Amino acid sequence: MFARSLPLPTCPRAAARAASSSRAALTVSRRAHTTARCNASAVTVNGHSQLKPTIYGQPLAPSHAHLIRSEETTPGIPQKDYDIRRRKLMENLPEGSLVVCVAGQVKYMSGLIFYKFRQSSDFWYLTGFDEPDAAVILEKRPSSPRGYYMRMFSVGTDPAKEKWDGARTCQEDVVQYFGADEAEPISVFPSVLRSLVANASHVYFDLPSQSKRTRAVSPKSLLKYLSSSGAMSRTEYDSLFDSLSSNTRKALAPEVGRLRAIKSKHEQEVMRQAADISARAHNKTMRFTEPGMTEHTVAAHFEYLCAREGAQRPAYVPVVASGPNGLIIHYTSNNQLIADGEMVLIDAGCEYNGYASDITRTFPANGSFTSEQATLYNVVLTVQKRLIDLCTESSAMSIVQIHRESCNMLRKELERIGFHFPLGAGTLDALYPHLVGHPVGIDLHESNHMDRHEPIKEGMVITIEPGVYVPPLPEFPKAFHNVGIRIEDEVLVRKNHPEVLSANAPKEIADIEGSCQGLLGLTPF
C-alpha cells in the first residue's frame, strides 16, 4: 500500500489478508507505472507542458498544465478545498463514525459499447477522483491533525488495459494528488471495509446515483457496486451488512447534501465560468437560428458551441421547442421544423469541470417579436426580474415562498393584459405548472436533501425560471394561444444583492432582437 503514515491496527486476520493481497498488487502496479512513465513524452504547446500519453486517469498538473494548476486537484478547485469538505463532514458526525462512499460505474449503451463516464456526484465532491471502480473510507479521528483518516481504493495501473482505455492513476499518485492517507487496490476494499465496520459505532453510506425516484435499496445491494473484483462473496456481503444494526446504518447523502448546498468561492468561480459558456452559446444560437431549420440542428449547434469552449458534456438533454412545442415543459424530441413567426424556447446548459449550468431563453425564430409575443414576454420578464431581487439571505425567503410570490405577480401581470382567473389559482396552474426554481451545483437539481421551505442562504446557487404556457382554450385570450415563454437564470444568493451568473445571455427584447439579427456584432460560431 502507499501511505502517508502507518495506519492504526485492524483485525489481525483481515489485515494480514489485505496486506498480502496489497503487496502483490502493488508490485505489479509499480512495474506498470514505471513502464507508463517511460512511454510518456514531454510536449510543450503554447507555453504549456503536457505528458503524452498521460500517465494519470484524469487531468493533473504535470500532464495538463493548460487545464489545472499545481495546487488544484480538479480544474478550479484546490486540494485544500477537498480537505475542508471532508473535515466539515466528519466534524458533523458522532464519535466512532465511518464514511463509505463509492465511485460511479461505467454504463453501457449496448454490449461493450459504453457511455462517456461521469463520476458519482458525492464521490466527486469528497475526493475529486474521476475514475470508476473506486471507493473511499473516512474514519473520524479527532486526535489526528485533520480530524479524519482517509483510505482510497482504485484499480491502479494495468498495461494491458491501458492499450485500450488509457492510463489509470497509480496508488502512489492517489496519495500525492488526492490527499489520501493511504491508497490500496480496489481488490482489498471488501476485507478492509469488513475490519473497519466491526469497530464502528455509525456507518454512513449510500448507493451511487440514488434518488427519490428509485426504490428503497437494501445495503446488500452494495455488492453490485463494490465487488467487481469478486473479492468478497455474496454470503460474506450479506453477513457484513446484516451485522449492522439499524442504529449503526446511516444515510450519507443528506450529510453531504447539506455541505454541497453552500458553494465555496472556488466553486462559485467554476459555476460562473460554466454559466458564461452556456450564456455565450445561447447568444450565438439566437444568431444561428432561422425559420426552416430543424430543432435538432439548433440543439446540436448549442452543444457544439459549449464543447468548443471546453465543456465536458451537456448538463441535461437540451430543450429546443418551437411554437406550440414550447407548451411541453420537458420537450426533448427536438425533431420538428421551426416555422416563420414562431417563438423558440431553448432550455440548455453545459457541465464544466464538474458543475452544471441551467439557462432558458425564448426568442422569435425570425428575429422580430410580434406585438402579442412582446406583450406576453414582458409579463414573464417583469416578474422574473422582481423575483431575482428576492434572492438574498436578508430576504429570509425560501424557494417555496419565492414561488408563491411568482404566482401572485404573474396573476396580476396577466390580468393586466386581458387574462381572467375566475377559478383562482387553479386556472393559473394551467398556465404555470412548475416550481419557480431549484438549487443547482454538481447536479442540475441539487435539491434532494435541501428543504425548499427553509430560507435560502448566502452561497447557494438557485434558478429563477417563471414561465407562461398558453394552451388553445377559450378561457384564455386567443392572441396568446400556443405561445410558451420561460426565462431562466442562475442566481448566486448573496447577503443583500444577488448575482446573476447567467447575465451574459440576453433577455431584454432589444438585446434578443439584436442578437438574432446580428446587430450586436455577434457571429453564429
Side-chain angles (χ1 to χ4, degrees), residues 164-321:
W164 294 91
D165 303 323
R168 293 287 188 96
T169 308
C170 74
Q171 273 77 33
E172 182 179 14
D173 289 331
V174 169
V175 170
Q176 180 176 351
Y177 294 106
F178 296 92
D181 294 294
E182 186 177 321
E184 300 186 73
I186 191 66
S187 58
V188 305
F189 171 79
S191 57
V192 174
L193 176 62
R194 182 169 49 196
S195 65
L196 294 173
V197 162
N199 299 314
S201 303
H202 308 276
V203 181
Y204 291 81
F205 60 88
D206 278 298
L207 299 177
S209 304
Q210 193 171 353
S211 71
K212 289 183 177 180
R213 294 188 179 185
T214 58
R215 294 184 303 168
V217 185
S218 163
K220 298 176 186 178
S221 298
L222 281 168
L223 171 68
K224 175 181 177 182
Y225 301 99
L226 306 182
S227 62
S228 59
S229 63
M232 185 183 285
S233 70
R234 179 58 181 262
T235 301
E236 288 176 302
Y237 265 92
D238 290 353
S239 175
L240 169 61
F241 287 104
D242 283 343
S243 68
L244 299 177
S245 69
S246 58
N247 291 331
T248 303
R249 302 172 184 172
K250 305 291 182 182
L252 176 62
E255 303 296 334
V256 179
R258 281 187 280 272
L259 297 178
R260 284 172 52 183
I262 307 297
K263 308 300 186 290
S264 70
K265 291 185 182 297
H266 292 104
E267 288 181 291
Q268 292 172 20
E269 181 55 32
V270 174
M271 293 194 70
R272 194 174 287 112
Q273 292 169 357
D276 276 343
I277 291 172
S278 295
R280 285 192 292 271
H282 273 278
N283 215 332
K284 288 178 174 288
T285 300
M286 289 180 189
R287 180 73 185 98
F288 173 79
T289 304
E290 295 178 354
M293 283 184 173
T294 59
E295 295 163 334
H296 82 262
T297 300
V298 176
H301 188 70
F302 182 93
E303 291 187 33
Y304 158 73
L305 291 171
C306 291
R308 192 176 67 170
E309 292 204 46
Q312 288 80 16
R313 59 179 62 81
Y316 51 100
V317 179
V319 171
V320 178

Side-chain angles (χ1 to χ4, degrees), residues 49-116:
S49 62
Q50 302 176 86
L51 288 177
K52 288 188 176 181
T54 180
I55 60 174
Y56 310 108
Q58 68 190 80
L60 294 174
S63 60
H64 293 73
H66 64 297
L67 294 179
I68 186 167
R69 297 185 178 94
S70 58
E71 71 275 10
E72 294 174 341
T73 294
T74 59
I77 309 294
Q79 187 175 121
K80 66 178 181 180
D81 269 29
Y82 285 97
D83 177 51
I84 290 171
R85 295 171 183 179
R86 295 188 291 262
R87 285 180 188 235
K88 287 182 177 178
L89 172 64
M90 302 311 286
E91 286 171 359
N92 292 337
L93 303 183
E95 295 299 320
S97 289
L98 194 72
V99 165
V100 183
C101 192
V102 297
Q105 299 295 299
V106 174
K107 296 180 180 179
Y108 292 87
M109 183 165 55
S110 64
L112 297 178
I113 308 303
F114 53 85
Y115 289 105
K116 185 176 181 180

Side-chain angles (χ1 to χ4, degrees), residues 27-41 52-55 157-160 162-163 167-168 170:
T27 299
V28 175
S29 176
R30 287 192 180 96
R31 189 184 306 124
H33 190 48
T34 301
T35 301
R37 287 187 185 277
C38 291
N39 291 337
S41 301
K52 288 188 176 181
T54 180
I55 60 174
T157 53
D158 185 331
E162 286 179 11
K163 274 189 171 293
R168 293 287 188 96
C170 74

Side-chain angles (χ1 to χ4, degrees), residues 282 295 298-299 302-303 316-322 325-334 344-349 359-361 363 486:
H282 273 278
E295 295 163 334
V298 176
F302 182 93
E303 291 187 33
Y316 51 100
V317 179
V319 171
V320 178
S322 59
N325 291 335
L327 276 61
I328 303 170
I329 309 302
H330 289 161
Y331 173 81
T332 56
S333 300
N334 301 340
V344 180
L345 187 157
I346 299 182
D347 185 344
I359 305 172
T360 304
R361 291 294 185 263
F363 60 94
R486 182 164 68 254

Side-chain angles (χ1 to χ4, degrees), residues 410-415 419-429 431 476:
L410 275 176
R411 186 180 291 107
K412 290 177 182 178
E413 289 295 319
L414 289 171
E415 286 174 340
F419 284 77
H420 301 285
F421 300 100
L423 300 179
T427 306
L428 182 64
D429 288 345
L431 298 170
F476 303 122

